[in-house]
Amino acid sequence: MCGILSSTQELDDGSVIGVEFCNYTEDERMEKVEKICVMARSSPFDKLLMVQCLKKNGHVVAVTGDGTNDAPALKEADIGLSMGIQGTEVAKESSDIVILDDSFASVATVLRWGRCVYNNIQKFIQFQLTVNVAALTINFVAAVSAGKVPLTAVQLFWVNLIMDTLGALALATEKPTKDLMEKRPVGRTEPLISNIMWRNLLAQALYQIVILLTLQFRGKSILGISQRVNDTMIFNTFVLCQVFNEFNARKLEKKNVFEGIHKNKLFVGIIGITIVLQVVMVEFLKKFADTERLNWGQWGVCIRIAAASWPIGCLVKFLRVPEKPIFSYLSLQNLKCM
């Protein structure tokens, strides 16, 4: 018999322990694979069949093994993990990751860091898209309506320089946390930009667009300042909004964006360096950046406007988003149904 056990046992929750997996038809295997929770004394062919069925059902599959017979399943899986001490050379060559100490605790460590890297990439994408959406919209609306852009080419270059380099370093250095392991795995077809990210970035971008366009068209009369000072305040406020929004980007879902910030000294240091560079840009590089010096009151206005992104980011996270990706509603199949 090429099975796992000679009989099956179905639990109260519908899961199955012990099945003759290779004796089922393909349709039966596709149905049973979602219910199996334990495969006892499984043959290498049973492992391979299970991996293939799980992948066909859309799962991301990881397999551990140490023997030569495990090589087909290790190679077929999305991620193959072999044992560095007890594992054979064939198993190691067929796997993607080699566990040097043969400890399954290392698998959890690898998983935690993998999720952390993925999460950090999402944070930076959300942060960068917010900058780009806001800058593009502000310059486009101002250029169409007034024939003049508030953010010059040099200023946009400066924003991209500090946000692409320092911003990426700040968000990419976040260490893994325990709550990462409490989330469900990311599916094969799930988009990199989730609904939660769209909610966060659109809220911040909309706030920046509204407030900066208000300064563009009504700043001189509201604040009683010259056109050159007004342009400088728009540039300074825009940069400071990105600095404050970096804190919001640290936590995609949690409302407390300052949680664990004391453990990431590099993030705090990068924020400090960004602020210092911005002060130098505004106050001492006037000809290069096409700016005008601001007094303490004007700096206070810029900081208060930028700091408003914190309560906005907190309030937005109370809004629930659908689990189904937004762009899936625009698929051809859904349009046909309509």
Side-chain angles (χ1 to χ4, degrees), residues 43-94:
S43 68
F45 186 58
D46 288 318
K47 286 185 179 181
L48 179 60
L49 285 176
M50 189 173 191
V51 172
Q52 291 173 343
C53 291
L54 287 170
K55 289 182 69 176
K56 287 181 181 179
N57 280 357
H59 294 286
V60 179
V61 186
V63 171
T64 61
D66 56 5
T68 303
N69 292 335
D70 296 324
L74 290 169
K75 187 173 292 185
E76 180 68 21
D78 294 290
I79 302 174
L81 300 102
S82 62
M83 303 302 171
I85 300 175
Q86 298 295 331
T88 62
E89 290 300 321
V90 176
K92 293 177 185 178
E93 291 178 1
S94 301

Side-chain angles (χ1 to χ4, degrees), residues 13-26:
D13 60 358
S15 57
V16 177
I17 299 179
V19 291
E20 297 175 358
F21 201 61
C22 62
N23 291 340
Y24 285 122
T25 64
E26 184 176 355

